[in-house]
Amino acid sequence: MLRIVVLGAAAGGGVPQWNCGCPVCIKARSGNPALVSTQASIAFSRDGTNWFLVNASPDLRQQLNATRQLHPAGGRLRHSPVAGIILTNGEVDAVAGLLSMREGSPFSIYAHERVLAILRSNSIFNVLGEQNVARRPIEIDRPFEPVLPDGLRSGIEVLPFEVPGKGAWYLEGKAHPAGGEGVGDTLGLRIADKTSGQYFYFIAACARVTDELKGRIRGAPLVFFDGTVWRDDELIAAGLGRKTGQSMGHISMSGDHGAIESFAELDIARKVFLHINNSNPAWLKDSDERNALERAGWEIPADGTEIML
Ligand SMILES: [Zn+2]
């Protein structure tokens, strides 16, 4: 069995974002706790005891404290159920939370060499000493089995694969510490219980749904997918910024070739949006956008939502 907890569903900045006065952020600050969301991450476990995280959001400390499954075991002076963290990209909202795990508990970081190069080139991440925190390279299209802190096998198979996306924005126009082109900058993951065969997909950053991606995820029991923007130009239209979703490497929920349309015929049992920007009107229950999304079989999860497969 696979157990999954959504630690947060929001894109960078969260909901509400500290400096934002958009309608969603205002409402989230005005007595609507259900609208408050931390930045995107999930935890998953096969045995219910050892947990792996996908990405380490800047809200990780808050997420760990809010999630009872991730609390230290009773009777232990120092302990964490977190056995490892798998990084799917090097953006701030995927790696900054690592700095909240510097208190000496052992775990492993799994990331593509391009993301590991970013960690190596930023000396602040040296607070995670190699004696406690192993950095393990993962490769595209090569399945791996994350290990438990005692070195035992987890019984979980993770397959990283390339999805259309963008490199970290803070490296735009700069030399990447790993050099070369951007293959490996944005990963999707297929996560499976090796015993039961149950599996799900995590694809929280994706610029477009290619035919190859459709073929991969068709018929899946569960997909977490990039829900950054409702429409490509929403940040510009709302006066919040100058970037389109596409320029940030994110598909829109709506429109031709948007996520909702692209997934319509893929026969996926449960479709969950993650990495939803606070500019996205679908946050608001009973909005036209939220209604359209739910009619198409999608959901926006609250922090702490638990899913079992
Ligand atoms: Zn906002």
Side-chain angles (χ1 to χ4, degrees):
M1 186 172 76
L2 285 172
R3 296 171 63 181
I4 303 146
V5 178
V6 177
L7 302 181
V15 181
Q17 176 177 311
W18 70 285
N19 63 346
C20 190
C22 79
V24 172
C25 289
I26 288 173
K27 197 160 185 192
R29 279 190 208 98
S30 319
N32 294 283
L35 201 49
V36 171
S37 179
T38 59
Q39 294 166 83
S41 175
I42 64 166
F44 65 90
S45 175
R46 179 172 169 270
D47 58 15
T49 302
N50 297 285
W51 290 78
F52 295 91
L53 311 184
V54 181
N55 294 328
S57 98
D59 297 320
L60 183 56
R61 178 184 171 278
Q62 179 185 343
Q63 293 168 335
L64 292 173
N65 285 333
T67 308
R68 64 178 162 70
Q69 295 91 333
L70 303 179
H71 292 172
R76 304 277 297 273
L77 198 52
R78 281 277 203 275
H79 171 259
S80 170
V82 177
I85 304 182
I86 304 165
L87 305 175
T88 61
N89 63 73
E91 290 285 9
V92 172
D93 55 1
V95 304
L98 292 173
L99 299 175
S100 295
M101 297 187 70
R102 63 189 183 280
E103 284 81 13
S105 278
F107 66 97
S108 297
I109 297 171
Y110 299 86
H112 190 275
E113 177 51 36
R114 289 182 69 78
V115 175
L116 291 179
I118 290 173
L119 301 185
R120 275 198 305 274
S121 69
N122 287 274
S123 55
I124 194 169
F125 289 104
N126 292 341
V127 295
L128 299 169
E130 295 270 357
Q131 67 278 17
N132 283 321
V133 183
R135 301 182 185 184
R136 303 175 189 269
I138 61 177
E139 292 177 37
I140 290 166
D141 295 329
R142 187 151 180 189
F144 66 95
E145 183 173 357
V147 295
L148 305 180
D150 52 13
L152 294 176
R153 304 160 78 89
S154 63
I156 295 169
E157 182 181 89
V158 181
L159 174 67
F161 55 91
E162 175 82 0
V163 291
K166 277 256 172 155
W169 66 263
Y170 57 84
L171 286 172
E172 256 175 37
K174 299 186 170 62
H176 194 288
E181 293 301 311
V183 176
D185 279 337
T186 309
L187 300 182
L189 302 174
R190 181 187 190 275
I191 296 167
D193 179 339
K194 292 181 77 166
T195 307
S196 71
Q198 279 290 7
Y199 67 97
F200 68 97
Y201 283 95
F202 180 97
I203 311 168
C206 184
R208 63 190 172 278
V209 181
T210 61
D211 287 343
E212 183 191 353
L213 182 58
K214 285 183 182 178
R216 189 188 286 277
I217 62 179
R218 187 182 299 278
L222 169 66
V223 178
F224 293 99
F225 194 73
D226 185 344
T228 308
V229 290
W230 175 258
R231 48 179 260 202
D232 192 49
D233 64 349
E234 81 186 26
L235 282 166
I236 299 167
L240 292 170
R242 282 175 290 179
K243 289 186 171 177
T244 61
Q246 280 294 306
S247 74
M248 298 184 289
H250 296 292
I251 193 172
S252 325
M253 288 180 174
S254 68
D256 291 346
H257 309 294
I260 292 172
E261 187 203 76
S262 299
F263 275 59
E265 306 302 325
L266 296 183
D267 193 28
I268 292 164
R270 192 160 180 182
K271 299 178 283 193
V272 182
F273 278 125
L274 275 190
H275 197 270
I276 305 154
N277 199 50
N278 56 69
S279 60
N280 190 326
W283 276 115
L284 300 172
K285 287 194 170 140
D286 300 323
S287 63
D288 292 345
E289 293 83 359
R290 181 62 161 263
N291 289 335
L293 168 165
E294 289 180 350
R295 271 200 308 277
W298 285 85
E299 61 187 285
I300 290 179
D303 287 13
T305 297
E306 185 161 8
I307 300 172
M308 298 200 193
L309 281 178

